[in-house]
Amino acid sequence: MWAFSSPMISYGDNALEYILQIRGNKAFVVADKNIVKLGLLKLVTDQLDAAGKKWEVFDDVEPEPSLITIKKGGAAVAKFQPDWVIGVGGGSVMDAAKAIILLLARPDLEPDALSPAETFNFRDKARLMAIPTTSGTGSEATWAIVLTDTVLGRKLGLGTPECMPDVAILDPVMVMGMPPMITADTGMDVLCHAIEGYTSAWGTTITDGPGLIATRRVFQYLVKAYKDGSDLEARREMMYAATLGGMSFGNSMAGLGHSLGHALGALFHVPHGRAVGLFLPYTMEYLVNGSEETTKKYAEMARFCLGASGNDKACAKALIAAVRKLAKTLAQPLSVKDCGIDKAKYDKAIPDLVDRALNETMTITVTRIPESEDLSKMYAYVYEGKPIDF
Ligand SMILES: [Fe+2]
């Protein structure tokens, strides 16, 4: 049995006005200092004021939120006892909001125990809303939570299907201010979610739609949004693409670009979207070299998104070339060397990178599952920017 889950989505110009319709009296708003500084939080609290709701803000969320921060948020939410928890921000903030609402229901738990092994029933107390201010993670449409254990220096993939947001609000006014580099980094993450979700071994007819449309939108609009941040249409379409990307991989699974990229990000502090986007074309080559099933799906994508023609292999290669061309236009690194990472340090880290990649679920939800030798070879090739020929 499979299940497709998604929030109720309010989208388009003035989508924030959905807040005027919500029931309940109190909202606990999770954000970060930057969202406050940019005036984005006020756009949300103005709606809460207009709706006559009481609200409290917790704006201590840092990038890659720590267990300590979540615990602090858990204590604050327990005191306030809201009817809604609203995450306003990028992936880190939305993930923090998901963790905090789980703690509202289960204050007895430590944040690192917020997993599917527990039951929460938080909707007896409050509902969850996500309002993204970047177009990337798709966290508004997934139940994943990534937290950082700062004591042990590791990232924790947590969450439970219960913490899919009830409502996601996609209002383009919230993403208009993203600087070009963040637009590019987060946009590459969207592309990765869409392509990997579409070709995941866990993908189905139901998850194919969002992945396909999100990919087409990224090719149509990401460069426009990057070059002219005030292009409302491009911003809006990239925002929709990000949510569709989340629906795609969140209901199937991401793939090898994420496995290899996560490991690089953890050891060399490369931003998530940039790291996974860097590995995407290489891992696509690896799949084309050994999986007819995925080659066929890449070809479908290339025909639909790029108007490619020819046999499956030629179309799949056209898709990979388009990913590389897009990354180049966005001034993204095309090799690990381009990230400015020292070769000796990188070579020494390859066994650790491979080990980490092997421990990612995404490594086994692709149609060609690599052994450690292949991963090790792939890491070496990507340093130099050498296409994968095995
Ligand atoms: Fe991602």
Side-chain angles (χ1 to χ4, degrees), residues 362-380:
M362 289 94 74
T363 305
I364 55 160
T365 56
V366 288
T367 54
R368 183 186 178 195
I369 301 171
E371 302 283 344
S372 62
E373 295 73 33
D374 278 359
L375 286 173
S376 180
K377 238 168 119 181
M378 248 190 281
Y379 273 119

mmCIF file of all heavy atoms in Angstrom, residues 362-380:
data_model
loop_
_atom_site.group_PDB
_atom_site.id
_atom_site.type_symbol
_atom_site.label_atom_id
_atom_site.label_comp_id
_atom_site.label_asym_id
_atom_site.label_seq_id
_atom_site.Cartn_x
_atom_site.Cartn_y
_atom_site.Cartn_z
ATOM 1 N N MET A 362 18.646 7.146 0.912
ATOM 2 C CA MET A 362 18.519 7.466 -0.516
ATOM 3 C C MET A 362 19.458 6.637 -1.397
ATOM 4 O O MET A 362 19.261 6.561 -2.603
ATOM 5 C CB MET A 362 18.835 8.942 -0.772
ATOM 6 C CG MET A 362 17.791 9.893 -0.268
ATOM 7 S SD MET A 362 18.162 10.516 1.381
ATOM 8 C CE MET A 362 19.459 11.656 1.116
ATOM 9 N N THR A 363 20.486 6.056 -0.794
ATOM 10 C CA THR A 363 21.435 5.262 -1.572
ATOM 11 C C THR A 363 20.809 3.943 -2.029
ATOM 12 O O THR A 363 21.229 3.360 -3.023
ATOM 13 C CB THR A 363 22.719 5.005 -0.740
ATOM 14 O OG1 THR A 363 23.215 6.272 -0.328
ATOM 15 C CG2 THR A 363 23.794 4.287 -1.524
ATOM 16 N N ILE A 364 19.783 3.495 -1.313
ATOM 17 C CA ILE A 364 19.192 2.200 -1.691
ATOM 18 C C ILE A 364 17.807 2.347 -2.328
ATOM 19 O O ILE A 364 17.125 1.368 -2.575
ATOM 20 C CB ILE A 364 19.127 1.221 -0.492
ATOM 21 C CG1 ILE A 364 18.383 1.873 0.681
ATOM 22 C CG2 ILE A 364 20.514 0.770 -0.083
ATOM 23 C CD1 ILE A 364 17.868 0.871 1.681
ATOM 24 N N THR A 365 17.391 3.602 -2.587
ATOM 25 C CA THR A 365 16.074 3.778 -3.218
ATOM 26 C C THR A 365 16.228 4.241 -4.662
ATOM 27 O O THR A 365 15.391 4.943 -5.201
ATOM 28 C CB THR A 365 15.207 4.779 -2.424
ATOM 29 O OG1 THR A 365 15.941 6.005 -2.326
ATOM 30 C CG2 THR A 365 14.889 4.271 -1.045
ATOM 31 N N VAL A 366 17.347 3.874 -5.273
ATOM 32 C CA VAL A 366 17.566 4.156 -6.689
ATOM 33 C C VAL A 366 17.552 2.843 -7.458
ATOM 34 O O VAL A 366 17.583 1.765 -6.855
ATOM 35 C CB VAL A 366 18.924 4.889 -6.908
ATOM 36 C CG1 VAL A 366 18.834 6.315 -6.416
ATOM 37 C CG2 VAL A 366 20.066 4.159 -6.233
ATOM 38 N N THR A 367 17.524 2.928 -8.770
ATOM 39 C CA THR A 367 17.384 1.695 -9.559
ATOM 40 C C THR A 367 18.729 1.026 -9.854
ATOM 41 O O THR A 367 18.783 -0.037 -10.456
ATOM 42 C CB THR A 367 16.661 1.985 -10.885
ATOM 43 O OG1 THR A 367 17.368 3.034 -11.544
ATOM 44 C CG2 THR A 367 15.224 2.405 -10.639
ATOM 45 N N ARG A 368 19.826 1.687 -9.467
ATOM 46 C CA ARG A 368 21.134 1.024 -9.538
ATOM 47 C C ARG A 368 21.839 1.353 -8.216
ATOM 48 O O ARG A 368 22.299 2.502 -8.035
ATOM 49 C CB ARG A 368 21.944 1.558 -10.720
ATOM 50 C CG ARG A 368 23.297 0.858 -10.879
ATOM 51 C CD ARG A 368 24.153 1.488 -11.975
ATOM 52 N NE ARG A 368 25.439 0.820 -12.053
ATOM 53 C CZ ARG A 368 26.495 1.309 -12.693
ATOM 54 N NH1 ARG A 368 26.408 2.476 -13.326
ATOM 55 N NH2 ARG A 368 27.634 0.654 -12.711
ATOM 56 N N ILE A 369 21.880 0.394 -7.334
ATOM 57 C CA ILE A 369 22.430 0.652 -5.993
ATOM 58 C C ILE A 369 23.948 0.475 -6.014
ATOM 59 O O ILE A 369 24.449 -0.598 -6.340
ATOM 60 C CB ILE A 369 21.781 -0.288 -4.953
ATOM 61 C CG1 ILE A 369 20.250 -0.062 -4.950
ATOM 62 C CG2 ILE A 369 22.367 -0.055 -3.556
ATOM 63 C CD1 ILE A 369 19.464 -1.057 -4.132
ATOM 64 N N PRO A 370 24.689 1.541 -5.691
ATOM 65 C CA PRO A 370 26.147 1.432 -5.777
ATOM 66 C C PRO A 370 26.774 0.728 -4.571
ATOM 67 O O PRO A 370 26.287 0.833 -3.459
ATOM 68 C CB PRO A 370 26.593 2.900 -5.804
ATOM 69 C CG PRO A 370 25.511 3.640 -5.095
ATOM 70 C CD PRO A 370 24.239 2.867 -5.281
ATOM 71 N N GLU A 371 27.862 0.010 -4.848
ATOM 72 C CA GLU A 371 28.707 -0.550 -3.775
ATOM 73 C C GLU A 371 29.697 0.543 -3.399
ATOM 74 O O GLU A 371 29.850 1.534 -4.112
ATOM 75 C CB GLU A 371 29.496 -1.768 -4.310
ATOM 76 C CG GLU A 371 28.658 -2.888 -4.872
ATOM 77 C CD GLU A 371 28.020 -3.749 -3.791
ATOM 78 O OE1 GLU A 371 28.482 -3.653 -2.631
ATOM 79 O OE2 GLU A 371 27.075 -4.490 -4.113
ATOM 80 N N SER A 372 30.432 0.305 -2.325
ATOM 81 C CA SER A 372 31.349 1.354 -1.850
ATOM 82 C C SER A 372 32.437 1.684 -2.884
ATOM 83 O O SER A 372 32.856 2.829 -3.003
ATOM 84 C CB SER A 372 31.958 0.979 -0.511
ATOM 85 O OG SER A 372 32.706 -0.179 -0.637
ATOM 86 N N GLU A 373 32.875 0.666 -3.688
ATOM 87 C CA GLU A 373 33.919 0.942 -4.693
ATOM 88 C C GLU A 373 33.433 1.975 -5.703
ATOM 89 O O GLU A 373 34.174 2.884 -6.089
ATOM 90 C CB GLU A 373 34.319 -0.336 -5.469
ATOM 91 C CG GLU A 373 34.976 -1.430 -4.654
ATOM 92 C CD GLU A 373 34.001 -2.160 -3.750
ATOM 93 O OE1 GLU A 373 32.817 -2.295 -4.135
ATOM 94 O OE2 GLU A 373 34.413 -2.556 -2.633
ATOM 95 N N ASP A 374 32.183 1.825 -6.137
ATOM 96 C CA ASP A 374 31.637 2.771 -7.118
ATOM 97 C C ASP A 374 31.501 4.170 -6.519
ATOM 98 O O ASP A 374 31.785 5.169 -7.175
ATOM 99 C CB ASP A 374 30.258 2.288 -7.618
ATOM 100 C CG ASP A 374 30.386 1.237 -8.722
ATOM 101 O OD1 ASP A 374 31.542 0.915 -9.083
ATOM 102 O OD2 ASP A 374 29.355 0.748 -9.204
ATOM 103 N N LEU A 375 31.080 4.238 -5.260
ATOM 104 C CA LEU A 375 30.929 5.545 -4.618
ATOM 105 C C LEU A 375 32.293 6.221 -4.498
ATOM 106 O O LEU A 375 32.449 7.418 -4.761
ATOM 107 C CB LEU A 375 30.306 5.385 -3.226
ATOM 108 C CG LEU A 375 28.810 5.053 -3.204
ATOM 109 C CD1 LEU A 375 28.358 4.740 -1.777
ATOM 110 C CD2 LEU A 375 27.977 6.195 -3.761
ATOM 111 N N SER A 376 33.270 5.439 -4.126
ATOM 112 C CA SER A 376 34.617 5.962 -3.956
ATOM 113 C C SER A 376 35.149 6.514 -5.286
ATOM 114 O O SER A 376 35.711 7.621 -5.353
ATOM 115 C CB SER A 376 35.461 4.795 -3.444
ATOM 116 O OG SER A 376 36.737 5.162 -3.252
ATOM 117 N N LYS A 377 34.905 5.757 -6.354
ATOM 118 C CA LYS A 377 35.331 6.184 -7.696
ATOM 119 C C LYS A 377 34.584 7.453 -8.117
ATOM 120 O O LYS A 377 35.154 8.380 -8.685
ATOM 121 C CB LYS A 377 34.999 5.063 -8.697
ATOM 122 C CG LYS A 377 36.212 4.537 -9.460
ATOM 123 C CD LYS A 377 35.845 3.275 -10.181
ATOM 124 C CE LYS A 377 35.999 3.393 -11.684
ATOM 125 N NZ LYS A 377 35.621 2.189 -12.411
ATOM 126 N N MET A 378 33.278 7.483 -7.786
ATOM 127 C CA MET A 378 32.463 8.647 -8.156
ATOM 128 C C MET A 378 32.984 9.907 -7.467
ATOM 129 O O MET A 378 33.136 10.958 -8.089
ATOM 130 C CB MET A 378 31.010 8.411 -7.756
ATOM 131 C CG MET A 378 30.094 8.258 -8.946
ATOM 132 S SD MET A 378 28.356 8.260 -8.496
ATOM 133 C CE MET A 378 28.132 6.616 -7.917
ATOM 134 N N TYR A 379 33.281 9.789 -6.173
ATOM 135 C CA TYR A 379 33.813 10.953 -5.453
ATOM 136 C C TYR A 379 35.115 11.440 -6.102
ATOM 137 O O TYR A 379 35.342 12.641 -6.226
ATOM 138 C CB TYR A 379 34.054 10.620 -3.979
ATOM 139 C CG TYR A 379 32.824 10.821 -3.108
ATOM 140 C CD1 TYR A 379 32.244 9.763 -2.413
ATOM 141 C CD2 TYR A 379 32.248 12.088 -2.969
ATOM 142 C CE1 TYR A 379 31.124 9.957 -1.604
ATOM 143 C CE2 TYR A 379 31.126 12.287 -2.164
ATOM 144 C CZ TYR A 379 30.577 11.220 -1.488
ATOM 145 O OH TYR A 379 29.465 11.425 -0.691
ATOM 146 N N ALA A 380 35.947 10.503 -6.510
ATOM 147 C CA ALA A 380 37.220 10.893 -7.134
ATOM 148 C C ALA A 380 36.962 11.604 -8.473
ATOM 149 O O ALA A 380 37.560 12.637 -8.770
ATOM 150 C CB ALA A 380 38.099 9.664 -7.328
#
